[in-house]
């Protein structure tokens, strides 16, 4: 039997309620078997200038998804280390799990960037992209993606880090257990 799994990748620096909301909506709308959160080690398109260790990001994602039986963790890119291209990752995952139909969730900001993705044409053969709405971006592309118009949930990891640096609360922007872990460990304060 073929499993239907969607991957949501990112730095998750930190994971927030917007990530969880999008994942849950995609899970329900597409009637999937599971959603995998895949923290990356070094995103090739983004310079990670601030934040916390990979281990701490993984722990925050674990906390964020605990209690949801259809949310899982995919640690391939963290365990591999270094820069990861989605094509290489998905090639490995499809070899490892041949009876799985993979989907890959991206925000509208990344939809606009698709023409620049590494081996994008070959990647399109491995996964079905799911583009979701994001404030300030359009879901316009010539690539055959599944477009999901979701109500905007305008929260970002960079905004959360800025709030913490400004000594402002991020409660209700992240799950409670993530909020308490950030406070206890004093993540993002300096």
């Amino acid at each position: 039997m073929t499993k239907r799994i969607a991957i949501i990748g990112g730095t998750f620096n930190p994971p927030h309620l917007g990530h969880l909301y999008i994942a849950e909506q995609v899970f329900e709308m597409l009637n999937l078997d599971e959603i995998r959160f895949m923290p990356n080690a070094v995103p090739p398109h983004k310079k990670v200038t601030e934040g916390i260790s990979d281990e701490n990001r993984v722990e925050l994602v674990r906390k964020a998804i605990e209690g949801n039986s259809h949310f899982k963790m995919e640690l391939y890119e963290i365990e591999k280390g270094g820069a990861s291209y989605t094509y290489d990752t998905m090639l490995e995952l499809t070899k490892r799990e041949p009876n799985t139909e993979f989907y890959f969730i991206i925000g509208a900001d990344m939809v606009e960037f698709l023409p620049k993705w590494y081996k994008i044409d070959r990647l399109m053969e491995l996964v079905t992209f799911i583009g979701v709405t994001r404030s300030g971006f359009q879901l316009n592309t010539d690539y055959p993606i599944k477009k999901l118009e979701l109500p905007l949930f305008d929260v970002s990891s960079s905004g959360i880090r800025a709030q913490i640096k400004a000594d402002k609360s991020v409660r209700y922007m992240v799950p409670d257990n993530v909020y308490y872990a950030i406070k206890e460990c004093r993540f993002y304060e300096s």
Side-chain angles (χ1 to χ4, degrees):
M1 186 168 113
T2 301
K3 284 180 81 172
R4 301 175 72 234
I5 296 172
I7 306 273
I8 182 169
T11 54
F12 300 111
N13 190 19
H16 54 68
L17 292 175
H19 295 128
L20 301 178
Y21 169 74
I22 288 167
E24 185 68 13
Q25 293 301 307
V26 169
F27 176 81
E28 284 191 356
M29 293 169 117
L30 298 181
N31 194 28
L32 300 174
D33 293 302
E34 71 185 48
I35 301 282
R36 290 190 193 159
F37 287 74
M38 183 171 64
N40 50 33
V42 179
H45 66 281
K46 184 192 287 188
K47 186 177 182 203
V48 179
T49 56
E50 59 185 323
I52 58 178
S53 71
D54 291 350
E55 295 77 17
N56 288 329
R57 287 188 300 117
V58 166
E59 188 53 34
L60 290 181
V61 173
R62 273 198 214 310
K63 288 181 181 305
I65 67 174
E66 71 185 16
N68 188 323
S69 62
H70 52 265
F71 285 178
K72 309 286 185 216
M73 183 86 78
E74 176 56 65
L75 293 176
Y76 174 77
E77 290 189 351
I78 289 286
E79 290 169 352
K80 179 181 155 291
S84 293
Y85 290 94
T86 304
Y87 171 77
D88 295 332
T89 298
M90 295 314 303
L91 186 62
E92 182 59 34
L93 294 182
T94 54
K95 285 179 187 170
R96 203 167 67 184
E97 301 174 59
N99 294 325
T100 301
E101 184 179 344
F102 282 104
Y103 296 82
F104 202 90
I105 303 167
I106 57 174
D109 56 329
M110 287 289 104
V111 169
E112 292 182 6
F113 195 69
L114 277 176
K116 294 180 172 72
W117 281 42
Y118 176 70
K119 296 188 179 179
I120 185 60
D121 294 327
R122 291 168 67 188
L123 178 57
M124 296 300 272
E125 296 169 7
L126 299 175
V127 301
T128 300
F129 276 96
I130 302 165
V132 296
T133 46
R134 185 157 183 188
S135 182
F137 298 93
Q138 301 296 314
L139 283 173
N140 298 333
T141 183
D142 291 332
Y143 289 99
I145 69 166
K146 188 174 277 300
K147 299 176 184 180
L148 295 183
E149 299 275 348
L150 301 178
L152 290 178
F153 198 115
D154 205 10
V155 62
S156 70
S157 296
S158 60
I160 290 169
R161 293 191 308 269
Q163 287 275 105
I164 293 169
K165 277 189 176 174
D167 201 27
K168 295 181 180 173
S169 178
V170 296
R171 191 151 191 215
Y172 307 118
M173 296 170 86
V174 296
D176 281 345
N177 54 359
V178 171
Y179 170 77
Y180 292 120
I182 288 171
K183 282 193 74 72
E184 180 183 328
C185 297
R186 303 176 66 108
F187 291 149
Y188 311 112
E189 288 182 7
S190 57

